[in-house]
């Protein structure tokens, strides 16, 4: 026996409230007190409940068509705790056009948020992604449906991720991937397909090493040169996307030709659409002219806490937010010497350096830390990718720059320093260098933190040992002098 009020509302296309839906999508009504007649009433209530529940499922298309944004958002919020979740998610996927209408109506953000809660907290939520996902994705925006919510913060159902990857590949092939999703999806997907191997990823940049030919072949099947070109043409980070694809052996002359004729897009990527992009374009053009390179030869190097790094010939350009230590007390031969280091408007910061061989062993890291401490400077972001070995003498190797004052580069004192030679280790990232005795900050990075506290303790022990040895030598010399006087 079906609930009369529910039947009437459905027949007359009236809205059914979330409370009514929730009532019948609970597993069973609460048990009635003991007694023969009450047991009969209990069985009748259970029968009515089950029949109404099935009736609602059979007519779910009508329910969602007549539901308001408020009622649907309330129902979706409770969905993870209700019964028949498999059927409901299937019905929702079959009505994604109506969901999109609700997203675009008044209070639509509440419906999209409620759907996200339901999809994130239900083990059956993958059913929603099994049919029509690419159509649903194509007709929503990142505020209504953001794939980051399902690939970064993992939902309860671990079957969702591969279904999203499949749906996104379909969206790419149909030419409807959102511009802002290209680089994020590509990086997540490439990491996903290579997780079964011992593959080393640099998550702050784009470098990948150790990828097998089998994995490369799999990726190349999903991303043909034509698809790769489409992605580069439809992203706001073309250099980064190209670097990712190259790691898996995907490139083409057509991609190079496109980049050579779209320098403005590359500058937008470097400048992150800064209002100073025209000035940055001038600097990029001068670097290319000096190095004899083309736009297609600009490479994405890495991403740090304050900015992105690009290679232009033998030069490195870094652009981003102003660092903690944009102004340093003085220069050091242990710093990679800048050609340009300046804030453009008090917040954005642009730097140009000579390229070095990035990295070094643990002892080299410590000796660099120690050398800076001996000069009264504290380096806290202690990681191999923040240091490197010189390829050229550590001096200005750029036409017209050898007479610059280092005060123009953020150094308070224009200090004359020795010229370090090729092979010497230098610090290539000055973002976390502080004057000893002033307040300093350690990055929230496990590697940097561990190295900093270990090196600080080692430096302290060594200095205490040196002081003790000096004291012993002084006392020994004093005794000798006393004996000589006797």
């Amino acid at each position: 026996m079906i609930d009369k009020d529910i039947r009437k509302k459905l027949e007359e296309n009236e809205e059914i409230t979330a409370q009514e839906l929730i009532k019948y999508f609970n597993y069973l009504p609460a048990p009635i007190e003991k007694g023969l007649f009450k047991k009969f009433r209990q069985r009748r209530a259970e029968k009515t409940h089950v029949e109404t529940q099935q009736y609602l499922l059979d007519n779910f298309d009508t329910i969602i068509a007549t539901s308001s944004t408020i009622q649907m958002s309330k129902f979706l919020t409770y969905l993870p705790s209700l019964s028949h979740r498999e059927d409901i998610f299937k019905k929702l996927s079959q009505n994604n056009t109506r969901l999109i209408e609700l997203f675009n109506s008044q209070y639509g953000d509440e419906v999209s948020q409620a759907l996200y809660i339901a999809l994130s907290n239900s083990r059956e939520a993958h059913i929603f992604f099994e049919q029509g996902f690419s159509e649903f994705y194509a007709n929503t925006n990142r505020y209504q449906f953001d794939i980051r919510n399902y690939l970064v913060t993992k939902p309860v159902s671990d079957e969702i991720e591969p279904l999203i990857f499949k749906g996104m590949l379909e969206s790419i092939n149909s030419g409807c991937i959102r511009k802002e999703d290209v680089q994020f999806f590509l990086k997540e997907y490439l990491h996903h397909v290579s997780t079964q191997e011992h593959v080393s990823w640099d998550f702050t940049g784009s470098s990948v090493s150790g990828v097998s030919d089998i994995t490369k072949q799999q990726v190349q099947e999903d991303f043909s040169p034509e698809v790769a070109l489409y992605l580069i043409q439809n992203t706001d980070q073309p250099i980064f996307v190209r670097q990712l694809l190259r790691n898996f052996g995907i490139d083409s002359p057509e991609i190079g030709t496109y980049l050579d004729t779209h320098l403005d897009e590359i500058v937008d990527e470097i400048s992150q659409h800064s209002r100073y992009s025209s000035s940055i374009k001038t600097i990029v053009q001068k670097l290319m002219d000096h190095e004899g390179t083309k736009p297609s030869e600009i490479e994405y190097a890495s991403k740090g806490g304050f900015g992105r790094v690009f290679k232009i010939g033998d030069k490195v350009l870094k652009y981003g937010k102003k660092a903690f230590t944009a102004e340093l007390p003085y220069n050091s031969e242990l710093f990679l010497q800048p050609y340009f280091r300046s804030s453009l408007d008090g917040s954005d910061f642009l730097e140009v350096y000579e390229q070095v061989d990035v990295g070094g062993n643990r002892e080299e890291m410590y000796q660099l830390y120690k050398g800076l401490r001996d000069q009264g400077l504290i380096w806290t972001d202690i990681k191999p990718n923040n240091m490197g070995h010189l390829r050229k003498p550590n001096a200005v190797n750029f036409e017209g720059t050898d007479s610059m004052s280092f005060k123009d580069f953020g150094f308070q004192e224009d200090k004359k320093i020795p010229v370090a030679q090729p092979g010497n280790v230098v610090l290539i990232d000055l973002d976390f260098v502080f004057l000893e005795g002033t307040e300093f900050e350690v990055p929230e990075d496990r590697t940097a933190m561990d190295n900093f506290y270990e090196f600080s303790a080692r430096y302290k022990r060594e200095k205490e040992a040196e002081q003790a040895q000096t004291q012993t030598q002084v006392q020994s010399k004093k005794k000798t002098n006393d004996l000589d006087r006797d």
Side-chain angles (χ1 to χ4, degrees):
M1 182 176 180
I2 300 168
D3 182 288
K4 291 185 291 183
D5 292 335
I6 295 290
R7 185 190 292 274
K8 181 180 177 183
K9 286 187 175 183
L10 273 168
E11 289 174 350
E12 296 180 3
N13 284 330
E14 292 182 18
E15 182 182 46
I16 297 176
T17 68
Q19 288 77 11
E20 289 171 312
L21 289 172
I22 292 165
K23 171 185 174 182
Y24 283 108
F25 282 116
N26 280 324
Y27 286 92
L28 284 174
I32 300 176
E33 298 171 6
K34 293 180 180 179
L36 185 62
F37 180 68
K38 290 176 179 176
K39 284 183 178 179
F40 173 75
R41 287 179 58 202
Q42 176 72 32
R43 287 196 295 272
R44 183 176 180 181
E46 289 176 358
K47 187 173 185 298
T48 300
H49 187 97
V50 170
E51 289 186 4
T52 304
Q53 193 178 70
Q54 188 59 51
Y55 183 68
L56 288 168
L57 282 173
D58 292 341
N59 292 275
F60 202 84
D61 294 354
T62 304
I63 291 169
I64 194 171
T66 55
S67 291
S68 65
T69 53
I70 293 175
Q71 295 301 334
M72 184 51 58
S73 63
K74 287 181 179 178
F75 174 69
L76 291 173
T77 301
Y78 281 94
L79 178 51
S81 63
L82 302 180
S83 61
H84 289 276
R85 290 184 297 273
E86 300 95 330
D87 294 316
I88 295 172
F89 280 121
K90 186 175 182 180
K91 295 289 186 180
L92 288 172
S93 70
Q94 293 169 351
N95 285 275
N96 60 41
T97 301
R98 173 57 182 160
L99 280 176
I100 294 165
E101 288 178 4
L102 291 171
F103 288 170
N104 289 303
S105 63
Q106 189 178 19
Y107 309 115
D109 55 338
E110 294 182 13
V111 181
S112 62
Q113 181 62 25
L115 180 62
Y116 166 64
I117 292 170
L119 294 175
S120 298
N121 294 284
S122 305
R123 296 195 178 280
E124 303 81 7
H126 61 275
I127 295 169
F128 177 82
F129 297 92
E130 289 178 346
Q131 295 182 17
F133 166 73
S134 56
E135 178 189 355
F136 176 72
Y137 170 82
N139 290 284
T140 54
N141 59 48
R142 68 183 301 180
Y143 302 104
Q144 296 167 338
F145 180 82
D146 192 344
I147 61 170
R148 290 164 179 78
N149 292 333
Y150 304 91
L151 298 180
V152 176
T153 55
K154 303 297 183 184
V156 171
S157 173
D158 56 9
E159 297 178 60
I160 287 178
E161 185 178 74
L163 288 169
I164 286 184
F165 286 138
K166 179 184 176 184
M168 291 299 293
L169 288 172
E170 291 174 359
S171 298
I172 290 170
N173 289 323
S174 60
C176 62
I177 188 170
R178 301 174 199 151
K179 189 171 186 177
E180 65 270 18
D181 286 340
V182 171
Q183 61 87 18
F184 172 80
F185 165 70
L186 183 61
K187 187 170 182 178
E188 290 294 318
Y189 177 77
L190 295 176
H191 179 247
H192 170 75
V193 298
S194 57
T195 50
Q196 303 304 315
E197 304 180 28
H198 297 291
V199 174
S200 174
W201 276 80
D202 174 9
F203 284 100
T204 63
S206 61
S207 60
V208 186
S209 59
V211 181
S212 72
D213 291 339
I214 295 175
T215 298
K216 286 182 180 179
Q217 183 178 353
Q218 178 186 342
V219 173
Q220 289 166 12
E221 289 174 0
D222 290 331
F223 298 94
S224 66
E226 293 75 21
V227 169
L229 177 60
Y230 163 75
L231 292 177
I232 288 169
Q233 291 171 333
N234 290 276
T235 178
D236 56 4
Q237 297 187 44
I239 300 299
F240 178 77
V241 169
R242 188 192 195 189
Q243 189 72 24
L244 284 174
L245 292 166
R246 275 179 159 178
N247 286 319
F248 290 81
I250 303 169
D251 203 0
S252 69
E254 289 76 16
I255 290 174
T257 300
Y258 173 81
L259 292 173
D260 284 336
T261 55
H262 289 77
L263 178 60
D264 286 345
E265 280 85 343
I266 296 173
V267 171
D268 283 341
E269 177 178 1
I270 293 172
S271 71
Q272 301 171 57
H273 299 274
S274 164
R275 60 194 175 115
Y276 292 95
S277 58
S278 59
S279 299
I280 295 170
K281 181 178 180 180
T282 300
I283 294 172
V284 169
Q285 188 67 65
K286 285 185 176 180
L287 287 172
M288 288 194 300
D289 291 344
H290 183 273
E291 298 295 302
T293 59
K294 300 181 293 186
S296 60
E297 294 171 321
I298 297 174
E299 296 181 21
Y300 184 99
S302 65
K303 180 181 179 181
F306 291 95
R308 298 173 182 173
V309 181
F310 296 84
K311 296 178 182 178
I312 304 176
D314 286 337
K315 303 297 181 286
V316 171
L317 185 151
K318 178 180 177 182
Y319 183 76
K321 295 182 294 183
K322 188 175 182 180
F324 287 119
T325 52
E327 273 212 347
L328 291 164
Y330 41 79
N331 199 357
S332 167
E333 70 276 13
L334 298 175
F335 295 158
L336 178 61
Q337 298 304 295
Y339 298 118
F340 187 88
R341 185 176 184 268
S342 180
S343 175
L344 298 182
D345 64 354
S347 60
D348 292 0
F349 209 73
L350 178 65
E351 301 170 76
V352 178
Y353 294 94
E354 189 72 36
Q355 197 173 150
V356 300
D357 295 321
V358 178
N361 60 44
R362 192 163 190 78
E363 185 59 26
E364 288 174 325
M365 269 198 300
Y366 174 71
Q367 292 303 325
L368 180 57
Y369 168 85
K370 180 181 179 181
L372 290 168
R373 281 296 300 269
D374 288 344
Q375 294 180 2
L377 300 169
I378 298 178
W379 172 37
T380 63
D381 192 13
I382 307 174
K383 293 181 290 191
N385 59 342
N386 285 336
M387 59 183 284
H389 293 77
L390 294 169
R391 296 181 180 179
K392 299 178 181 179
N394 196 23
V396 175
N397 297 299
F398 201 75
E399 295 172 9
T401 57
D402 46 7
S403 61
M404 282 189 177
S405 166
F406 283 101
K407 287 184 178 180
D408 297 331
F409 295 159
F411 298 107
Q412 295 171 3
E413 180 184 344
D414 194 13
K415 180 182 177 183
K416 189 174 182 179
I417 58 172
V419 177
Q421 296 303 309
N424 286 9
V425 173
V426 291
L427 183 62
I428 63 177
D429 189 333
L430 308 184
D431 290 344
F432 285 87
V433 178
F434 304 86
L435 181 64
E436 192 159 10
T438 63
E439 186 177 352
F440 62 84
E441 179 162 339
V442 182
E444 294 182 359
D445 176 279
R446 176 55 59 187
T447 300
M449 290 175 68
D450 289 348
N451 287 335
F452 173 72
Y453 291 116
E454 179 187 332
F455 288 180
S456 296
R458 178 179 169 183
Y459 184 82
K460 182 180 179 182
R461 289 194 306 268
E462 289 180 359
K463 287 301 175 184
E464 288 173 348
E466 287 176 12
Q467 290 171 1
Q469 185 177 7
T470 301
Q471 187 67 26
T472 301
Q473 290 172 349
V474 169
Q475 291 174 353
S476 176
K477 186 175 181 180
K478 183 180 178 183
K479 288 180 180 178
T480 302
N481 291 337
D482 290 344
L483 286 172
D484 289 342
R485 282 196 295 270
D486 292 341

